[in-house]
Amino acid sequence: MLDEEIAEVEAEIDCIMDEIQSPITSIPGIGSQMGAMILAEVGDFSCFDSPDKILAYAGLSPSIHQSGQMKNCYAHMEKRGSRYLRYAIFNATRFVCNWNPIFAAYLAKKRSEGKHYNVAISHAAKKLVRLIYAMEQSGQVYRPAA
């Protein structure tokens, strides 16, 4: 019974994504369900001036802690904002890094710099958000660099 309901909901999501025709699903690794989750949480991309605003809305921007001469040397993610968007972006980034050689190379570069896996994924997530923002603004589908 639950499997039938899940299949029905996923079919409805697929129909809605086909109607919207968002270029987000042209990125290797982002399917209609994950794309729908990101689009639903962001809403209208024209409300954001830059991809940095989306990162801040998702809580993916680094926190700043300074007092007088002291500056925070270990900047953590803020984790304010939409936790659902943060979840969707992180999971989408993991899949994109598996399916897209450009993102896989970027993740490997960050890992070779000595960064923890989650930190490297957060860097790739920021790159993915910039890509999604540019694609949504232009309406063009993803084309890998030649």
Side-chain angles (χ1 to χ4, degrees):
M1 173 96 171
L2 284 175
D3 290 335
E4 292 173 9
E5 289 181 14
I6 289 170
E8 184 179 316
V9 169
E10 287 178 350
E12 187 66 30
I13 289 172
D14 289 338
C15 288
I16 291 170
M17 289 299 287
D18 287 342
E19 285 177 23
I20 294 173
Q21 294 194 358
S22 173
I24 193 172
T25 55
S26 66
I27 301 171
I30 297 183
S32 59
Q33 281 80 24
M34 195 59 67
M37 185 183 256
I38 292 170
L39 292 175
E41 283 298 312
V42 171
D44 187 12
F45 279 85
S46 65
C47 293
F48 297 95
D49 296 337
S50 69
D52 292 334
K53 304 270 177 138
I54 295 174
L55 288 170
Y57 176 66
L60 292 171
S61 56
S63 63
I64 297 171
H65 176 75
Q66 64 186 58
S67 174
Q69 299 294 325
M70 186 198 83
K71 291 187 179 182
N72 186 11
C73 57
Y74 300 109
H76 299 282
M77 252 191 295
E78 284 184 344
K79 293 189 180 174
R80 288 187 245 170
S82 174
R83 64 181 173 187
Y84 302 112
L85 180 58
R86 189 169 48 252
Y87 167 82
I89 289 172
F90 257 78
N91 279 338
T93 303
R94 287 187 179 113
F95 287 115
V96 169
C97 286
N98 285 337
W99 289 97
N100 189 324
I102 295 169
F103 277 87
Y106 186 73
L107 181 67
K109 175 182 174 261
K110 291 297 177 185
R111 292 287 288 154
S112 70
E113 292 174 1
K115 300 204 182 294
H116 186 273
Y117 176 76
N118 289 336
V119 175
I121 285 287
S122 71
H123 283 278
K126 292 173 186 177
K127 181 176 178 133
L128 181 63
V129 168
R130 290 190 298 267
L131 174 66
I132 291 171
Y133 182 80
M135 288 172 57
E136 287 293 328
Q137 292 296 324
S138 68
Q140 294 180 353
V141 296
Y142 177 76
R143 291 184 314 243

